Amino acid sequence: MSASTTAPDQLPVVVIGAGPVGLAAAAHLVERGIEPLVLEAGPAAGAAVRDWSHVRLFSTWAELVDPAAEKLLAPTGWVRPDGATYPTGGDWAERYLQPLADVLGDQVRYGATVTGVARAGRDRIVDSGRDEQPFTVHLRTTDGREERITARAVIDASGTWSVPSPMGADGLPALGERTAADRISYRVPDLDDPAVRARYAGKRTAVIGSGASAFTALALLADLAKEEDGTHAVWILRRGIGAGTYGGGEADELPARGALGLRAKAAVEAGHASAATGFRTQAVERDGDDGLVLVAEDGRRLDPVDEVIVLTGLRPDLSFLSELRLGLDERLQAPTALAPLIDPNVHSCGTVYPHGVNELSHPEQGVYLVGMKSYGRAPTFLAMTGYEQVRSIAAALAGDQEAAERVELTLPETGVCGGAGLFDDPGAAQSGEGGGCCAAPATLQIGIGAPAATSGSGGC
């Protein structure tokens, strides 16, 4: 039977991305008797997570394992790591994500980059017979071959890691940003890597951003400054420093996340970092000694720096979805029904209302953006929010609307939902000194009331 004549319920649900939420989606689909096909651009599960493998999450193992995924893993003899401990990104990928992908077997394909999704035989203009057509997913393999897969539904869990926001305050690259690319990084540095350490040791580094990723970079550079003379961070803030600049601190219900902000504050107070406030970057220029000079919109020019670390957030890649009819908020690029619930201008993590398939649906029936991608440019995503999203979607695809709409979500009301983490060693993690996830999803308890007292979960 050809793809064009295959009954819709016999087609797979294509899941884009083999990260935490994509693999959880596959597990929930399997639990519902629906065939998933996970397409991962990288060579292994959790490719994006592996990019920040050196960072320790401020979520414990107890909060990082999806229930449906654990049911799949249990028959293999897999044992959940100590629930009270905090994994690094590398731990999460190797000890949970890869084993889960291995259990799914041929239902996960690596080296498969999705280049386009559409309705079979219909571009976005055509109305006639649109909803009756399956989806066609175009992909490119690592050896350059192109393929087309037919799917009954598409769950895009590709995240936002591949598209970091630029340093320009207007959302566009600053003048000179592209030409200075050799001196600019958009990731939290791994200072245990000798080459990376050498890049920043004894140097002046500008850190642009105000979330947990920036806190992490400041704390790491402060530690380096204690060991390497001449090391200094210049913290670039688009706003001033106020009561909420460093997050929830000791009042944060996620103690590791609160401690991270306090370490950034300590770095400034100790003189390892200086702050340039109200600085909206317009340009980056090279001076005569090959330093980089940041120029603000108001004309201010900072003293030259050697390196720049830009941690101004992430944004979704919507280019391969251009033939689909998505309903996206004009500001956040999140689903229109979800956007008002997560708008960072209005809400903190603790005021995000329960949401599932209803908020994640689009005018194009059968396509869903989940995980960090569902939040568009909003920085407040928590990973078990993603687990709950895909549980709801899988229920809807199975025709169980009652289960799909039964969503409960409890989140901490204090602190800042964002970014990266620290925890230089497990001992520090246990004592709550730092924490987080490097712009990757972390987690919270969902549907079981308030978080446990030992919760160290965080968000990005």
Side-chain angles (χ1 to χ4, degrees):
M1 185 181 292
S2 68
S4 61
T5 58
T6 301
D9 60 1
Q10 294 180 336
L11 294 172
V13 172
V14 164
V15 179
I16 306 174
V21 178
L23 292 173
H28 282 279
L29 291 168
V30 168
E31 188 173 55
R32 289 283 183 173
I34 300 171
E35 180 190 356
L37 177 59
V38 183
L39 302 177
E40 168 58 49
V49 174
R50 294 172 192 271
D51 276 353
W52 49 271
S53 61
H54 59 292
V55 178
R56 193 172 294 277
L57 286 86
F58 44 60
S59 297
T60 63
W61 270 114
E63 301 153 336
L64 289 167
V65 177
D66 174 80
E70 187 165 15
K71 289 179 184 177
L72 276 184
L73 285 163
T76 70
W78 182 84
V79 178
R80 181 204 294 255
D82 183 351
T85 61
Y86 298 82
T88 62
D91 294 335
W92 200 15
E94 288 298 333
R95 301 179 65 185
Y96 168 63
L97 299 178
Q98 194 61 57
L100 177 55
D102 291 345
V103 169
L104 291 165
D106 291 342
Q107 293 171 318
V108 179
R109 284 188 59 183
Y110 303 111
T113 300
V114 174
T115 57
V117 182
R119 287 285 186 181
R122 307 288 191 276
D123 63 24
R124 69 182 294 155
I125 299 174
V126 178
D127 290 334
S128 178
R130 186 176 192 87
D131 290 344
E132 288 73 45
Q133 293 299 109
F135 291 94
T136 178
V137 180
H138 292 227
L139 64 89
R140 183 181 62 252
T141 63
T142 51
D143 60 5
R145 289 183 297 107
E146 294 182 310
E147 296 182 28
R148 187 166 53 195
I149 294 171
T150 306
R152 61 177 287 192
V154 176
I155 298 175
D156 183 356
S158 60
T160 56
W161 180 251
S162 63
V163 191
S165 295
M167 72 167 72
D170 55 9
L172 300 173
L175 297 178
E177 183 171 349
R178 291 189 177 96
T179 57
D182 61 322
R183 308 277 285 282
I184 300 173
S185 170
Y186 299 86
R187 308 300 188 200
V188 174
D190 179 5
L191 297 183
D192 289 331
D193 182 324
V196 176
R197 183 183 180 89
R199 178 174 179 175
Y200 298 103
K203 306 288 182 61
R204 279 175 57 84
T205 300
V207 177
I208 304 177
S210 59
S213 293
F215 293 167
T216 303
L218 290 169
L220 291 172
L221 291 171
D223 289 343
L224 183 61
K226 297 172 187 176
E227 303 173 9
E228 299 283 351
D229 291 340
T231 304
H232 187 77
V234 182
W235 189 16
I236 311 299
L237 289 158
R238 294 172 181 171
R239 301 177 183 176
I241 293 180
T245 299
Y246 298 102
E250 294 178 357
D252 200 318
E253 289 186 34
L254 307 180
R257 184 176 64 188
L260 179 61
L262 295 177
R263 288 193 66 176
K265 183 178 182 181
V268 174
E269 293 177 345
H272 298 308
S274 54
T277 59
F279 194 97
R280 296 179 175 274
T281 309
Q282 183 179 64
V284 54
E285 302 173 355
R286 292 185 186 266
D287 73 353
D289 297 323
D290 202 32
L292 298 179
V293 177
L294 300 184
V295 184
E297 291 178 340
D298 61 9
R300 279 186 292 163
R301 302 171 65 88
L302 298 183
D303 291 338
V305 296
D306 301 293
E307 299 283 342
V308 181
I309 298 175
V310 181
L311 299 167
T312 53
L314 303 164
R315 53 185 63 176
D317 177 7
L318 301 169
S319 61
F320 60 87
L321 304 176
S322 62
E323 292 307 313
L324 296 176
R325 297 175 176 179
L326 301 180
L328 298 175
D329 178 74
E330 66 274 8
R331 291 176 299 169
L332 299 184
Q333 295 178 302
T336 51
L338 177 61
L341 310 183
I342 61 173
D343 186 343
N345 294 299
V346 179
H347 298 284
S348 71
C349 283
T351 58
V352 174
Y353 297 100
H355 67 277
V357 68
N358 291 338
E359 292 80 8
L360 296 170
S361 294
H362 293 272
E364 193 81 73
Q365 298 177 24
V367 61
Y368 306 96
L369 311 185
V370 301
M372 291 192 71
K373 193 161 187 176
S374 71
Y375 273 39
R377 298 195 185 193
T380 57
F381 182 72
L382 299 166
M384 284 190 79
T385 302
Y387 293 165
E388 179 67 1
Q389 289 176 341
V390 296
R391 183 208 63 79
S392 175
I393 289 168
L397 290 172
D400 188 349
Q401 198 63 26
E402 188 277 330
E405 295 180 358
R406 190 178 62 244
V407 180
E408 297 179 12
L409 180 63
T410 303
L411 299 171
E413 295 187 9
T414 56
V416 175
C417 308
L422 200 54
F423 289 142
D424 297 322
D425 59 71
Q430 295 286 11
S431 64
E433 296 178 1
C437 63
C438 187
T443 68
L444 255 216
Q445 302 282 25
I446 290 181
I448 58 170
T454 57
S455 172
S457 51
C460 324

